[in-house]
């Protein structure tokens, strides 16, 4: 069974609506079956979040080359800025907790068949949007900030708040966190979250030389 929406603005679901899955609300086993099915569907995304969390914790210098993430002899993930990231779909946070980041110094990196693939920008962006971790470096709250480049993402991932911040820093570089609060009217928590997303994909910097180099290209 499924419940029809009672939203007066949208009305009821169409008569020909076909649910992807159904379950009996009174049947505990049926509900558990459905939850297990959802868990299976979401596992590849959870593996991507686990990889992004490991990147945030380990802070490897991704620009220096290709990386393999190993737990013992088992390959959990491959990360390369140009090629993208590939992660074992069944990998968990616990797997990454005991893993080693190894830079690949021989041969071309290859993402194994069956690994979930995603660009590094999308990987980190979606993590910054959903993580409860504060990903904004402390000095980004004190030093002037600069716009570097637009996020290398599909437009649908970028929200109005991100566009507003990029426009502000592009039009008036060297604004501090406090000045951005005043110029955008954003509260502290949403401002931190939006700046964190722009930071992890390299769209903003506190180094004016890095901003200048990108602008000159």
């Amino acid at each position: 069974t499924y419940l029809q929406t009672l939203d007066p603005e949208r009305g009821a679901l169409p008569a020909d609506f076909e649910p992807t899955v159904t379950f009996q609300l009174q049947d505990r086993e049926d509900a558990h079956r459905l939850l297990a099915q959802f868990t299976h569907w979401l596992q590849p995304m959870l593996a991507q979040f686990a990889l992004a969390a490991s990147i945030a914790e380990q802070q490897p210098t991704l620009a220096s080359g290709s990386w393999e993430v190993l737990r013992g002899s088992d390959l959990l993930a491959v990360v390369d800025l140009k090629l993208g990231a590939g992660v074992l779909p069944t990998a968990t946070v616990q797997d990454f907790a005991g893993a080693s980041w190894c830079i690949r110094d021989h041969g071309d990196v290859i993402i194994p068949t069956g690994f979930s693939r995603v660009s590094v920008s999308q990987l980190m962006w979606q993590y910054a949007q959903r993580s409860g971790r504060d990903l904004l470096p402390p000095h980004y709250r004190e030093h002037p900030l600069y716009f570097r480049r637009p996020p290398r993402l599909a437009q649908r991932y970028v929200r109005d708040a991100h566009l507003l911040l990029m426009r502000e820093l592009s039009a008036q570089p060297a604004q501090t966190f406090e000045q951005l609060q005043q110029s955008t009217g954003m509260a502290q928590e949403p401002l931190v979250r939006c700046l964190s997303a722009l930071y992890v994909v390299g769209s903003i910097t506190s180094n004016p030389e890095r901003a200048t180099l990108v602008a000159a290209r």
Side-chain angles (χ1 to χ4, degrees), residues 10-109:
R10 297 184 179 181
L13 291 170
D16 60 351
F17 175 77
E18 292 290 340
T20 301
V21 294
T22 63
F23 74 104
Q24 297 296 328
L25 190 60
Q26 300 80 5
D27 189 331
R28 183 183 295 270
E29 291 186 4
D30 203 27
H32 286 172
R33 174 194 60 79
L34 182 64
L35 291 174
Q37 188 173 0
F38 284 163
T39 300
H40 175 72
W41 286 343
L42 290 172
Q43 180 53 48
M45 180 64 72
L46 295 175
Q48 290 182 14
F49 283 7
L51 172 58
S54 184
I55 291 176
E57 291 172 0
Q58 301 296 329
Q59 296 186 340
T61 308
L62 298 181
S64 63
S66 302
W67 293 81
E68 293 177 329
V69 188
L70 301 168
R71 181 166 186 176
S73 59
D74 296 328
L75 181 65
L76 296 179
V78 174
V79 182
D80 180 276
L81 283 182
K82 294 182 179 179
L83 183 63
V87 58
L88 183 68
T90 57
T92 66
V93 172
Q94 289 74 24
D95 290 329
F96 282 97
S100 301
W101 279 78
C102 306
I103 191 165
R104 189 180 180 92
D105 55 4
H106 62 282
D108 295 329
V109 66

Side-chain angles (χ1 to χ4, degrees), residues 29-193:
E29 291 186 4
D30 203 27
H32 286 172
R33 174 194 60 79
L34 182 64
L35 291 174
Q37 188 173 0
F38 284 163
T39 300
H40 175 72
W41 286 343
L42 290 172
Q43 180 53 48
M45 180 64 72
L46 295 175
Q48 290 182 14
F49 283 7
L51 172 58
S54 184
I55 291 176
E57 291 172 0
Q58 301 296 329
Q59 296 186 340
T61 308
L62 298 181
S64 63
S66 302
W67 293 81
E68 293 177 329
V69 188
L70 301 168
R71 181 166 186 176
S73 59
D74 296 328
L75 181 65
L76 296 179
V78 174
V79 182
D80 180 276
L81 283 182
K82 294 182 179 179
L83 183 63
V87 58
L88 183 68
T90 57
T92 66
V93 172
Q94 289 74 24
D95 290 329
F96 282 97
S100 301
W101 279 78
C102 306
I103 191 165
R104 189 180 180 92
D105 55 4
H106 62 282
D108 295 329
V109 66
I110 298 175
I111 296 180
T113 302
F115 274 39
S116 299
R117 300 187 65 152
V118 62
S119 73
V120 176
S121 291
Q122 184 178 338
L123 177 78
M124 298 309 297
W125 183 271
Q126 65 190 14
Y127 179 69
Q129 294 295 312
R130 295 169 174 82
S131 174
R133 175 181 294 168
D134 187 346
L135 300 175
L136 193 67
H139 63 275
Y140 273 62
R141 291 173 170 81
E142 302 171 359
H143 296 177
L145 301 179
Y146 303 85
F147 174 68
R148 293 187 67 223
R149 56 172 172 77
R152 291 169 179 160
L153 297 163
Q155 184 63 38
R156 66 181 182 274
Y157 293 112
V158 183
R159 299 177 181 173
D160 289 344
H162 303 119
L163 294 173
L164 173 61
L165 287 170
M166 287 189 285
R167 283 197 298 266
E168 282 291 327
L169 290 176
S170 180
Q172 298 183 23
Q175 292 191 62
T176 63
F177 185 92
E178 184 176 348
Q179 289 172 329
L180 282 172
Q181 277 190 286
Q182 296 173 355
S183 63
T184 63
M186 295 177 66
Q188 180 173 325
E189 184 174 344
L191 180 57
V192 168
R193 185 168 294 276

